[in-house]
Amino acid sequence: MKRILKIASAFIGILIGAGFASGQETMLYFVSFGNLGTIGAIISVAIFAYLGMILMKLGSRTQTDSHQEVIYKICGRFLGCIIDYVLNAILFGIGIVMIAGSGSIFDQQFGLPSFIGTILMTVLVMITVMLKVDRVIKVIASVTPFLILVVLFLFIYSMSTMNSSFTSLEPHAWNKIQLRDIGLYLQ
């Protein structure tokens, strides 16, 4: 049971950390659509959970040590090879964007030269890559409960201090979409 919770925490941590870390994604993809966005967020959570369960079952049944073997079983050798290359290219691109973004954060938040943040993140990425997968999962799984508690605290705080109703905020959400669609949306 402990191993299951560790893997589940790592899965949640990766989804939240990699996909919705800045909050901009959540605002653009869900909040800006008002009540419909809330429904979309619930559907997205359900899809993530279902696909995660399916992938974990496949990995468990095949007893593989690599994602490659699962992809090859699902897609065949030829298509699996293409998907594996595309997946690696996407992950490489995401890594580059994260490293560049860390440089920007150091510049914006601390007034330090961006190369300091870039070097620091590059070193952290290299250390992470040198760790065994089990250790990386352990680190991510240990941080995730804290992340969930912070998100829950912020949610409860936001709901308890909210001055407006969801109904009164709905037009503002749709206004954001219209401004973005005509190119006036600024981050």
Side-chain angles (χ1 to χ4, degrees):
M1 183 68 168
K2 186 177 178 182
R3 182 171 162 80
I4 291 170
L5 288 175
K6 184 169 76 172
I7 291 173
S9 290
F11 182 73
I12 291 168
I14 289 169
L15 282 178
I16 293 171
F20 301 106
S22 73
Q24 273 296 345
E25 298 84 356
T26 305
M27 189 181 82
L28 291 174
Y29 301 142
F30 301 116
V31 174
S32 63
F33 288 98
N35 293 332
L36 287 175
T38 303
I39 294 168
I42 292 168
I43 291 169
S44 294
V45 167
I47 290 171
F48 275 131
Y50 180 73
L51 290 176
M53 180 187 71
I54 296 296
L55 291 173
M56 293 295 170
K57 279 185 178 180
L58 279 171
S60 178
R61 283 187 187 151
T62 56
Q63 294 295 307
T64 61
D65 293 331
S66 169
H67 70 280
Q68 249 180 358
E69 296 172 44
V70 175
I71 291 173
Y72 289 167
K73 284 198 186 278
I74 295 171
C75 304
R77 273 306 233 202
F78 179 73
L79 186 58
C81 185
I82 293 171
I83 289 173
D84 187 39
Y85 280 117
V86 169
L87 182 62
N88 285 322
I90 289 170
L91 290 173
F92 181 74
I94 289 170
I96 297 297
V97 168
M98 287 174 62
I99 289 170
S102 67
S104 285
I105 288 173
F106 269 70
D107 181 35
Q108 290 175 354
Q109 298 299 320
F110 307 117
L112 296 171
S114 61
F115 74 88
I116 293 174
T118 303
I119 290 171
L120 179 64
M121 182 57 76
T122 303
V123 169
L124 289 172
V125 167
M126 290 171 64
I127 291 170
T128 303
V129 168
M130 288 188 259
L131 292 174
K132 292 184 177 181
V133 174
D134 286 341
R135 289 184 185 162
V136 174
I137 289 173
K138 193 177 199 177
V139 169
I140 294 169
S142 65
V143 171
T144 300
F146 173 72
L147 180 65
I148 291 171
L149 288 175
V150 169
V151 168
L152 286 174
F153 170 76
L154 291 174
F155 172 75
I156 292 168
Y157 178 77
S158 297
M159 291 294 114
S160 64
T161 60
M162 191 166 85
N163 307 13
S164 306
S165 68
F166 286 115
T167 308
S168 66
L169 294 173
E170 182 87 10
H172 297 291
W174 286 103
N175 188 31
K176 282 260 191 217
I177 293 171
Q178 291 169 352
L179 291 175
R180 186 185 67 219
D181 288 345
I182 60 172
L184 296 176
Y185 183 77
L186 302 174
Q187 294 187 16

